Amino acid sequence: MVKIGDILKIEDELQIVVECNKKTVVTMGYINQSIISNQIEEFTFEELKEKSINLVGSISQELLEKAKRKMIFNKVEEFHDLFHQKKEFVSGENQLSYAGRIYDKDEMIALTDASLDFWLTSGRFCNQFETDFAKYLGVKYALLTNSGSSANLLAVSALTSPKLGDKRLLPGDEVITVAAGFPTTVAPILQNRLIPVFVDIDLGTYNISANQIEQALSDKTKAIVIAHTMGNPFDLDTVMEVANKYSLWVIEDNCDALGAKYNGKLTGTHGHIGTSSFYPPHHMTMGEGGAVYTNNPKLKMIIESFRDWGRDCWCPSGCDDTCNKRFDWQLGQLPQGYDHKYTYSHIGYNLKVTDMQAAIGLEQLKKLPKFIERRIHNFNRLKSNLIVLQEDLILPEKTHNSDPSWFGFILTVKDGSKVSRNKIAQYLEKNKVQTRMLFAGNLTKQPAFVTSEYRLASDLKNTDKIMNDTFLVGVYPGLTDEMIDYMSKKIIEAVEFAKL
């Protein structure tokens, strides 16, 4: 009687038994002690009796596990092909989302692979992603976390560490930023009892008015924390010039701009710390997830500490005594030799990701260049189609010296136009074209921020303008030329409708 793991010679071909029940035997081709082919065959016992069969031996548990995983992956691929295929686009019937996840069987298989490990927390897939992502960015260190918002929290919190000495940020210190954006770019500033100083933005690029930064500084200013709006890099030449002149920290919120370049160098890598988000609408996804990256080894260790409960120990999960003096430290007011693994140098969090998320991210990272290419294509096609609306709408413009990696297509109603932003948005939504505002509009007007302590560097005239007159549509890789052209047609119609 054959059993799972047996190596059989069937009609001069070596095969291993991977499934066996009372009626049938399933085999996979066996090449050598480390390689199994994808050839799968199923035999009844009656069929086997009619063949020339010899029992050659049995395979290792390691190789058997590999074979069983292959079989499961084949089933996952079959499931994907049956139930995860894109639906045919029908104009006016299918919703054109502003963003969405793009994936295939590879991500589903990777997720299954990590699930079968049942490691559950950060492990081999996380380690590999951090290595590969750092290599993609061209930085020394990349640390995974559970969201882009957490990435921003870790980045700002890291700058408050006592380990930075006189360079640490203290409560009451000021941070240059903008009010036209996503709330969790600014929230970590307030959460660390720092004071955001809001500078206005430029219409067209929707990025910080870089020429206003220097006049916004005070003797309390210690950092600049701003995002590359909608994948369009901000003026990094001016920002870094001011930062270097006044010894300011720079955090680039790169959550909407992964793959964008400024002067040929990827955004997120010009300042001291960069952050990314892997939430489904972004350039790549792992469901929930984010990353913090830097070239500074001290900042890397501080960020890691804040992410991992605030502990001083840097041992990976499941490892002990990496420093070779686990019981020789004396920190704070702890007794000499207190276990370094349970010594805490920061008021930290637990903001790690699971290996299941990282496994998806590894497959997405391979597709990222194609994703970015398609975003740029969709943006350019949409802009070409909408040139006819320049009399009423401000079309988006890329920053000088930049190569954007577009997250969305921003449109603003011009002053003096009879067009209503809300009427345009309502018309588009009615016609299955999803719209979004430029996130929070003006953060200082939001309920959560009206009572917060902040300083205005100017009257935020343009920020108020986008709050009242700006909207955006998508350019994500799931949009085909047919979809972009339909979207363009409906936007043109919407502008005419909004004039009525």
Side-chain angles (χ1 to χ4, degrees):
M1 185 70 176
V2 297
K3 63 182 184 300
I4 293 175
D6 283 348
I7 305 174
L8 304 178
K9 189 173 186 181
I10 305 175
E11 303 291 354
D12 295 326
E13 289 186 5
L14 290 178
Q15 299 191 44
I16 59 173
V17 177
V18 290
E19 285 186 9
C20 185
N21 55 47
K22 293 180 179 180
K23 295 183 178 180
T24 60
V25 172
V26 178
T27 66
M28 295 183 74
Y30 176 74
I31 298 174
N32 57 44
Q33 293 181 357
S34 60
I35 300 176
I36 304 166
S37 79
N38 287 321
Q39 174 193 345
I40 298 176
E41 294 190 56
E42 185 173 356
F43 305 96
T44 65
F45 282 103
E46 287 74 17
E47 289 172 333
L48 283 178
K49 289 177 182 178
E50 298 174 0
K51 297 180 179 293
S52 172
I53 300 175
N54 290 304
L55 177 62
V56 177
S58 60
I59 60 172
S60 65
Q61 282 291 106
E62 182 181 358
L63 193 57
L64 179 58
E65 180 185 351
K66 185 176 179 181
K68 295 293 280 186
R69 284 187 187 235
K70 274 196 173 186
M71 290 196 66
I72 293 169
F73 298 160
N74 288 339
K75 290 296 183 182
V76 171
E77 182 176 350
E78 179 185 313
F79 187 89
H80 167 271
D81 293 346
L82 284 171
F83 304 113
H84 284 260
Q85 293 300 311
K86 294 178 183 177
K87 295 180 180 179
E88 183 181 354
F89 173 66
V90 179
S91 298
E93 292 186 15
N94 300 92
Q95 176 86 354
L96 288 184
S97 300
Y98 89 99
R101 66 202 194 285
I102 304 297
Y103 66 97
D104 58 26
K105 62 181 176 61
D106 297 332
E107 284 83 355
M108 295 183 70
I109 289 171
L111 174 60
T112 305
D113 195 16
S115 299
L116 292 171
D117 284 359
F118 211 67
W119 183 249
L120 300 182
T121 183
S122 300
R124 65 182 178 105
F125 290 98
C126 287
N127 294 337
Q128 190 62 55
F129 183 90
E130 289 178 340
T131 298
D132 291 358
F133 194 55
K135 183 178 180 180
Y136 168 79
L137 292 166
V139 297
K140 291 181 180 177
Y141 313 106
L143 297 167
L144 270 172
T145 186
N146 61 2
S147 72
S149 297
S150 292
N152 286 338
L153 177 60
L154 290 170
V156 175
S157 298
L159 300 185
T160 69
S161 171
K163 292 180 181 288
L164 296 176
D166 293 340
K167 288 287 290 177
R168 71 181 291 203
L169 303 188
L170 296 170
D173 284 343
E174 293 184 344
V175 179
I176 300 295
T177 188
V178 300
F182 201 75
T184 51
T185 305
V186 176
I189 299 170
L190 294 166
Q191 288 159 341
N192 279 283
R193 295 184 292 163
L194 307 168
I195 311 299
V197 178
F198 293 117
V199 177
D200 208 4
I201 55 97
D202 294 325
L203 297 175
T205 66
Y206 302 94
N207 280 311
I208 191 168
S209 298
N211 58 1
Q212 296 183 26
I213 294 176
E214 192 163 12
Q215 66 193 46
L217 304 181
S218 75
D219 58 0
K220 293 182 178 181
T221 307
K222 298 294 175 61
I224 301 173
V225 179
I226 41 181
H228 300 286
T229 307
M230 286 290 116
N232 192 17
F234 56 75
D235 180 355
L236 276 155
D237 281 341
T238 301
V239 168
M240 295 310 300
E241 181 182 348
V242 172
N244 291 331
K245 181 177 179 180
Y246 294 96
S247 298
L248 307 177
W249 294 107
V250 175
I251 295 174
E252 295 177 67
D253 180 340
N254 201 39
C255 291
D256 293 339
L258 186 58
K261 293 181 180 179
Y262 187 89
N263 283 336
K265 184 180 179 182
L266 287 169
T267 54
T269 68
H270 295 251
H272 300 94
I273 304 174
T275 62
S276 282
S277 171
F278 305 128
Y279 190 63
H282 288 103
H283 290 64
M284 55 169 283
T285 188
M286 54 178 69
E288 302 286 353
V292 193
Y293 30 100
T294 184
N295 282 309
N296 185 310
K298 180 177 283 188
L299 286 176
K300 182 261 184 184
M301 292 189 70
I302 294 170
I303 293 164
E304 195 169 35
S305 172
F306 271 103
R307 184 194 66 179
D308 299 357
W309 308 284
R311 67 179 188 170
D312 201 74
C313 172
W314 56 86
C315 290
S317 179
C319 295
D320 295 322
D321 204 23
T322 305
C323 62
N324 292 319
K325 55 176 187 174
R326 177 179 170 186
F327 297 103
D328 294 331
W329 293 85
Q330 196 287 307
L331 296 171
Q333 297 180 9
L334 292 170
Q336 174 72 35
Y338 193 82
D339 191 348
H340 191 229
K341 200 169 182 70
Y342 290 96
T343 300
Y344 302 91
S345 53
H346 299 103
I347 307 300
Y349 310 90
N350 178 5
L351 300 175
K352 295 185 291 181
V353 298
T354 68
D355 246 18
M356 286 79 81
Q357 292 166 275
I360 296 169
L362 281 167
E363 295 303 320
Q364 287 274 292
L365 187 57
K366 296 173 187 176
K367 297 179 171 71
L368 181 60
K370 289 293 184 182
F371 288 166
I372 294 169
E373 183 181 311
R374 186 67 203 185
R375 284 179 175 274
I376 294 169
H377 171 87
N378 286 344
F379 178 93
N380 290 338
R381 188 178 186 92
L382 196 53
K383 188 169 184 179
S384 177
N385 290 348
L386 298 181
I387 288 291
V388 295
L389 298 179
Q390 287 188 105
E391 184 177 331
D392 292 298
L393 301 180
I394 299 171
L395 302 185
E397 294 291 341
K398 74 172 190 173
T399 302
H400 186 60
N401 293 331
S402 77
D403 296 297
S405 177
W406 296 105
F407 180 75
F409 194 93
I410 314 178
L411 293 158
T412 300
V413 177
K414 287 186 173 181
D415 289 340
S417 173
K418 297 179 180 179
V419 172
S420 160
R421 185 270 309 272
N422 286 353
K423 281 190 175 182
I424 294 175
Q426 289 165 10
Y427 185 91
L428 291 174
E429 295 285 351
K430 184 178 179 181
N431 285 274
K432 304 290 187 179
V433 177
Q434 193 175 57
T435 64
R436 289 290 185 268
M437 302 298 103
L438 182 48
F439 302 131
N442 182 342
L443 278 169
T444 67
K445 311 293 187 184
Q446 290 283 347
F449 290 81
V450 290
T451 58
S452 298
E453 186 177 0
Y454 58 82
R455 180 166 68 84
L456 298 183
S458 67
D459 61 6
L460 304 188
K461 177 183 176 182
N462 289 341
T463 301
D464 283 336
K465 173 70 176 173
I466 69 158
M467 177 178 64
N468 293 312
D469 293 322
T470 297
F471 69 100
L472 63 92
V473 294
V475 295
Y476 84 106
L479 297 172
T480 64
D481 286 353
E482 181 186 6
M483 295 173 181
I484 291 291
D485 291 343
Y486 173 78
M487 186 189 300
S488 304
K489 177 185 174 184
K490 291 303 168 184
I491 293 172
I492 293 169
E493 288 178 8
V495 171
E496 292 304 311
F497 169 80
K499 291 179 180 178
L500 300 177

